[in-house]
């Protein structure tokens, strides 16, 4: 039991690490170079199952590679001065083209609005990297392989369906709370804060142009649980501000 709990905790750590970034290095198997690894920088946004989704052109080298062999990996790491001392996660799996480009478009563009021009082009499509294995390096001596079921977030279809409504409500009626969250959790004063995404592990705000991550203390699985977590965070922020 203890081993299972430890494995789940490591899987959550790796998942939260990936949630905290929007860029990685995508490695594909080169069709042109007879299977040699081919790396390319790649922005991504996670879906509600924890799989990275990338927007790429049909004429790009990595897309041609994926069409020939869907096996890929994506390494996520911070731009740290000492990169080997910093944590990093490598997601390994198979890339698959999403049949409905519009379905994921709104979520992707909330996180990466600079990609709107690419999204509008007919030859750009979304590909999902369906995670089959995870390599997590959390720092010196903390090196683990993590099975995909340990990395995967708890199933929360009700929360995924409610995401648009939650965002609309928070952005329209609780902008003051969003700014307070930034002050309380990240210690920054911002003029403008907009919620761009919510998931079972937490939520993301675009604060004065920068995406900030906020993790829930416990996973939330539906809109009511999300509301309770957001109300509690607002109370904590008010208490800190008045202390």
């Amino acid at each position: 039991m203890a081993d299972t709990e430890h494995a789940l905790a490591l899987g959550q750590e790796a998942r939260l690490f990936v949630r905290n970034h929007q860029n990685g290095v995508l490695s594909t198997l080169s069709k042109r170079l007879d299977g040699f690894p081919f790396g390319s920088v790649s922005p991504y946004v996670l879906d509600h199952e924890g799989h990275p989704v990338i927007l790429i052109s049909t004429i790009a080298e990595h897309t041609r590679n994926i069409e020939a062999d869907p096996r890929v990996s994506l390494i996520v790491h911070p731009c740290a001065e000492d990169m080997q001392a910093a944590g990093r996660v490598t997601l390994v799996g198979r890339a698959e083209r999403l049949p409905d480009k519009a379905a994921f478009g709104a979520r992707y563009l909330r996180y990466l609005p600079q990609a709107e021009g690419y999204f509008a082009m007919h030859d750009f499509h979304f590909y999902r990297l369906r995670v089959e294995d995870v390599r997590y390096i959390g720092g010196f001596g903390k090196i683990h392989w993590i099975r995909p079921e340990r990395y995967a977030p708890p199933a929360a279809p009700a929360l995924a369906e409610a995401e648009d409504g939650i965002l609309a409500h928070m952005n329209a009626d609780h902008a003051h709370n969003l700014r307070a969250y930034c002050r309380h959790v990240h210690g920054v004063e911002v003029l403008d804060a907009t919620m761009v995404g919510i998931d079972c592990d937490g939520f993301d705000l675009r604060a004065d142009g920068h995406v900030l991550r906020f993790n829930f203390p416990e996973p939330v699985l539906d809109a009511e649980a999300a509301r309770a977590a957001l109300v509690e965070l607002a109370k904590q922020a008010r208490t800190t501000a008045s202390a």
Side-chain angles (χ1 to χ4, degrees), residues 79-174:
C79 294
E81 185 174 342
D82 186 351
M83 295 183 65
Q84 288 194 316
R88 51 204 180 272
V89 173
T90 301
L91 304 174
V92 180
R94 288 172 169 80
E96 57 186 16
R97 179 168 158 175
L98 300 187
D100 184 0
K101 181 178 178 180
F104 197 74
R107 185 165 219 269
Y108 187 91
L109 292 176
R110 286 197 302 267
Y111 281 89
L112 298 168
Q114 64 272 27
E116 186 171 3
Y118 299 122
F119 177 77
M121 296 179 182
H122 73 278
D123 63 326
F124 274 78
H125 300 276
F126 287 121
Y127 284 74
R128 175 191 288 118
L129 194 172
R130 191 164 292 280
V131 178
E132 297 182 18
D133 223 330
V134 179
R135 180 70 163 175
Y136 173 44
I137 301 178
F140 182 77
K142 190 174 186 179
I143 303 172
H144 303 274
W145 282 104
I146 298 171
R147 295 298 304 148
E149 63 270 19
R150 307 302 190 197
Y151 164 84
L159 182 63
E161 292 175 5
E163 181 180 35
D164 289 348
I166 294 171
L167 267 55
H169 172 67
M170 293 300 296
N171 292 330
D173 300 333
H174 296 283

Side-chain angles (χ1 to χ4, degrees), residues 8 12 19 23 30 44 51 80 122 125 131 140 142 157 177 184 196 207 233:
L8 286 171
Q12 183 184 41
R19 288 200 190 280
N23 293 282
S30 177
Y44 69 87
H51 302 301
H122 73 278
H125 300 276
V131 178
F140 182 77
K142 190 174 186 179
N177 282 343
H184 174 63
V196 296
L233 185 57

Side-chain angles (χ1 to χ4, degrees), residues 5-238:
E5 291 177 355
H6 181 60
L8 286 171
L10 287 172
Q12 183 184 41
E13 281 184 36
R15 187 173 72 245
L16 292 178
F17 185 97
V18 177
R19 288 200 190 280
N20 204 45
H21 298 82
Q22 277 82 50
N23 293 282
V25 176
L26 176 72
S27 293
T28 56
L29 300 175
S30 177
K31 180 181 179 182
R32 180 175 181 271
L33 301 175
D34 194 28
F36 278 86
F38 179 84
S40 52
V41 295
S42 180
Y44 69 87
V45 173
L46 293 189
D47 66 12
H48 280 277
E49 295 179 345
H51 302 301
V53 178
I54 60 177
L55 179 65
I56 52 179
S57 169
T58 54
I59 64 173
E61 194 76 19
H62 43 234
T63 310
R64 293 171 177 170
N65 295 341
I66 288 170
E67 294 297 341
D69 190 326
R71 291 177 297 169
V72 301
S73 69
L74 180 75
I75 183 167
V76 179
H77 60 87
C79 294
E81 185 174 342
D82 186 351
M83 295 183 65
Q84 288 194 316
R88 51 204 180 272
V89 173
T90 301
L91 304 174
V92 180
R94 288 172 169 80
E96 57 186 16
R97 179 168 158 175
L98 300 187
D100 184 0
K101 181 178 178 180
F104 197 74
R107 185 165 219 269
Y108 187 91
L109 292 176
R110 286 197 302 267
Y111 281 89
L112 298 168
Q114 64 272 27
E116 186 171 3
Y118 299 122
F119 177 77
M121 296 179 182
H122 73 278
D123 63 326
F124 274 78
H125 300 276
F126 287 121
Y127 284 74
R128 175 191 288 118
L129 194 172
R130 191 164 292 280
V131 178
E132 297 182 18
D133 223 330
V134 179
R135 180 70 163 175
Y136 173 44
I137 301 178
F140 182 77
K142 190 174 186 179
I143 303 172
H144 303 274
W145 282 104
I146 298 171
R147 295 298 304 148
E149 63 270 19
R150 307 302 190 197
Y151 164 84
L159 182 63
E161 292 175 5
E163 181 180 35
D164 289 348
I166 294 171
L167 267 55
H169 172 67
M170 293 300 296
N171 292 330
D173 300 333
H174 296 283
H176 60 292
N177 282 343
L178 302 183
R179 293 191 296 271
Y181 296 158
C182 295
R183 185 185 313 115
H184 174 63
V185 176
H186 290 282
V188 295
E189 295 282 352
V190 301
L191 297 175
D192 180 69
T194 303
M195 187 176 287
V196 296
I198 189 166
D199 53 71
C200 67
D201 293 316
F203 60 96
D204 298 286
L205 302 182
R206 183 172 301 282
D208 287 350
H210 301 284
V211 175
L212 297 179
R213 177 70 188 176
F214 300 78
N215 293 326
F216 293 134
E218 299 292 338
V220 304
L221 303 183
D222 55 33
E224 188 59 33
R227 178 184 179 278
L230 292 168
V231 168
E232 177 58 30
L233 185 57
K235 290 179 180 177
Q236 294 175 11
R238 286 195 296 271

